[in-house]
Amino acid sequence: MTSVLESIRSREQLCITRNGNSELMIELRDKLREWLEQQPHLPHDMAESRLEFFIICSKHSLEMAKQRIDLYYTMKKLAPEILANRDPLSKQLKQLGQFVQFVPLPRVTPENNRVVMFRYTSEDATGCEIAEAFKYTFMVAEVRAVEDTAEGDINIYDLSKMRLGHLTQLNPSVIKKSEVTATKVFGARIRGIHFINAPSFIDRIITLVKSMIKPKLAARVFVHSSGLESLYEVVPKSVLPVDYGGDEKSMDELDEKWHKKLEEWRDWFIEEDAKTVNEDLRPGPAVNEDDLFGLYGSFRKLQVD
């Protein structure tokens, strides 16, 4: 199997940082398995490693882990554009690298945070389908759920090739569904959002991003407008790709490794695509999409003045 992530902590050590231990994990995992097998509307055969992931990202709250698992399967029905048809060898996903790259870097920071790089690789926005890009990020998240033990994420967006055409592709509905999936399903712990090589219209991007995230996270959005020196104060050069003055392999090399990694998971993705919620069998009321996504859940296109 292709190795794409290094870590400085074991899963057991990560449990401890989230107010748990190995004994508690076994107890909660067994209870979560028992609960899942009693849910008529949900698939029952979730792997132990994935059950453990939901327990950890819920800070060992059994009830929260149940909510995340229910929503994990429910979102596949509510947001198929980003969570269904996940064949790594599909034409759309194979061509994605021509337009964007999304790369969790191999090394973590001294604080055990994973740095995740995103950049446009083409100035042509016509072939960049934002839903496919988000689909790819959540396929990566599925791998990280069982192979990564980072404490949180530092997201870096290189906008050197972003043009106004890309901005019009930012579908608010897809962005909101992705935000809900990242936070309420995968329990993303975002330590910072950093924009580098920002275009002249960066203010519009920041306004859009902040309008769709919670104030606590909005306060962690930064624009590095005068080179990368200020970024190095947050992320050591040893972690960054050589493209950004770092010691790590190039973005192209790392992106290729991640695509290969997902191809190795192809059978799993195809099998899991068939496992979704059956609302006809849900004991209680169906999830209210308006409550979940709010106003942005119905917006299909961003208007740019």
Side-chain angles (χ1 to χ4, degrees):
M1 295 288 285
T2 302
S3 176
V4 290
L5 299 171
E6 299 176 12
S7 185
I8 59 175
R9 286 183 184 166
S10 65
R11 175 158 282 193
E12 183 175 358
Q13 290 172 320
L14 186 61
C15 281
I16 294 173
T17 68
R18 305 284 179 90
N19 305 318
N21 53 57
S22 57
E23 291 79 12
L24 179 61
M25 170 59 74
I26 294 172
E27 177 187 344
L28 293 178
R29 187 186 65 204
D30 291 344
K31 288 182 178 179
L32 193 58
R33 169 73 70 195
E34 181 180 359
W35 167 84
L36 183 59
E37 291 175 349
Q38 294 173 354
Q39 304 311 302
H41 63 300
L42 300 177
H44 296 161
D45 54 345
M46 180 173 282
E48 284 192 355
S49 59
R50 203 160 295 273
L51 289 172
E52 291 176 358
F53 164 76
F54 283 114
I55 292 169
I56 291 173
C57 74
S58 300
K59 297 182 180 180
H60 295 81
S61 165
L62 183 61
E63 292 307 311
M64 185 177 292
K66 292 176 183 179
Q67 293 172 22
R68 291 192 191 281
I69 289 177
D70 193 309
L71 195 56
Y72 173 75
Y73 289 117
T74 301
M75 284 296 296
K76 290 184 179 184
K77 281 288 183 67
L78 299 181
E81 63 270 40
I82 60 173
L83 297 171
N85 302 314
R86 300 177 299 173
D87 184 352
L89 296 181
S90 69
K91 179 180 179 181
Q92 294 86 348
L93 289 175
K94 289 286 285 184
Q95 292 180 344
L96 189 64
Q98 299 176 21
F99 303 99
V100 297
Q101 290 178 335
F102 177 84
V103 178
L105 301 181
R107 300 171 188 163
V108 292
T109 67
E111 298 78 24
N112 195 39
N113 290 319
R114 182 73 58 193
V115 179
V116 182
M117 300 287 308
F118 174 94
R119 72 175 181 179
Y120 288 102
T121 53
S122 172
E123 296 178 3
D124 180 11
T126 58
C128 182
E129 175 52 57
I130 190 68
E132 289 297 317
F134 276 114
K135 179 185 295 186
Y136 182 86
T137 66
F138 288 118
M139 291 171 70
V140 169
E142 294 277 24
V143 175
R144 292 186 61 196
V146 297
E147 294 192 8
D148 200 357
T149 56
E151 184 64 33
D153 285 357
I154 298 174
N155 296 339
I156 301 175
Y157 296 84
D158 177 1
L159 306 182
S160 57
K161 291 190 176 182
M162 187 178 194
R163 301 296 177 262
L164 275 173
H166 290 110
L167 191 57
T168 63
Q169 296 291 323
L170 298 180
N171 182 319
S173 174
V174 170
I175 293 175
K176 184 59 181 179
K177 290 178 180 180
S178 298
E179 185 266 336
V180 169
T181 303
T183 58
K184 295 188 176 183
V185 175
F186 287 97
R189 297 165 66 90
I190 301 175
R191 304 306 192 193
I193 299 175
H194 300 262
F195 293 97
I196 61 175
N197 301 319
S200 59
F201 51 88
I202 183 62
D203 289 346
R204 303 187 201 182
I205 300 173
I206 297 300
T207 299
L208 174 66
V209 170
K210 287 189 174 182
S211 71
M212 297 185 185
I213 59 180
K214 294 181 179 179
K216 182 179 179 180
L217 182 55
R220 299 175 182 174
V221 175
F222 305 93
V223 178
H224 300 270
S225 55
S226 302
L228 298 180
E229 290 303 319
S230 57
L231 180 66
Y232 298 150
E233 296 175 7
V234 181
V235 180
K237 287 186 178 182
S238 60
V239 174
L240 292 169
V242 65
D243 315 57
Y244 303 99
D247 301 332
E248 191 50 81
K249 293 179 180 178
S250 72
M251 282 286 289
D252 287 345
E253 291 177 280
L254 296 173
D255 182 61
E256 183 178 352
K257 289 186 70 173
W258 265 106
H259 276 274
K260 183 178 180 181
K261 181 71 170 182
L262 295 187
E263 288 175 12
E264 293 172 351
W265 276 57
R266 182 173 185 254
D267 291 344
W268 183 87
F269 281 116
I270 293 174
E271 180 180 344
E272 289 295 311
D273 271 352
K275 300 177 183 178
T276 64
V277 67
N278 185 338
E279 291 293 354
D280 292 336
L281 298 178
R282 184 186 288 275
V287 174
N288 187 304
E289 292 188 48
D290 290 337
D291 291 343
L292 194 59
F293 303 131
L295 179 64
Y296 285 107
S298 59
F299 285 177
R300 300 299 176 189
K301 189 174 183 180
L302 180 70
Q303 298 296 326
V304 178
D305 297 328

